[in-house]
Amino acid sequence: FSLTDNIQSTCRLLAEAPTLRTYWQPRTHPVQGAEKDVEDIALLGEKIVNVHALCWLDGRSQPLATWEKEWSKYIPALKKYTAAKAASVEFVAGNTDEQFFLDAKLLNKLLALQ
């Protein structure tokens, strides 16, 4: 476990260190659902400065398209509540260049729709 394993401890840490900022990524252990993730985004707000764009299920990376529906909810919330200006595509399924570019293409498409 870490200081940022749950939203309560993350908010406590950020309150104790007012200049500290954070990255955000969807919860993957256990998957809590897009609505809860969106609530967390709103709580963390301007403290979020970067995003890990990923899909992690059953202990392994999946194509980002697996969570396309979820990411279509996360992106508007990230734009509304945060100062995030960048997203990192990480944990690419199969660790292939091809999948990286597919994930990046989907992320760009979703960003353009919002």
Side-chain angles (χ1 to χ4, degrees), residues 2-107:
S2 75
L3 291 174
T4 58
D5 272 349
N6 62 60
I7 191 65
Q8 295 82 12
S9 64
T10 301
C11 288
R12 240 184 347 265
L13 174 66
L14 293 171
E16 291 176 19
T19 60
L20 189 63
R21 299 295 179 261
T22 189
Y23 283 28
W24 178 85
Q25 68 186 39
R27 290 281 175 186
T28 59
H29 50 279
V31 175
Q32 65 180 4
E35 291 74 23
K36 180 67 174 114
D37 283 334
V38 168
E39 289 174 18
D40 290 355
I41 290 167
L43 280 171
L44 295 171
E46 293 291 317
K47 296 285 187 167
I48 299 172
V49 295
N50 199 341
V51 176
H52 276 150
L54 58 85
C55 175
W56 192 266
L57 292 171
D58 299 322
R60 36 179 255 206
S61 186
Q62 305 293 323
L64 194 60
T66 305
W67 281 355
E68 182 172 355
K69 183 174 113 183
E70 288 81 358
W71 277 100
S72 69
K73 295 177 184 176
Y74 301 151
I75 290 171
L78 289 160
K79 285 184 172 185
K80 179 177 181 179
Y81 296 112
T82 79
K85 300 291 183 211
S88 303
V89 176
E90 190 177 15
F91 306 118
V92 175
N95 294 319
T96 67
D97 292 350
E98 180 181 5
Q99 187 61 55
F100 170 82
F101 287 114
L102 288 170
D103 290 351
K105 182 177 179 179
L106 174 62
L107 185 59

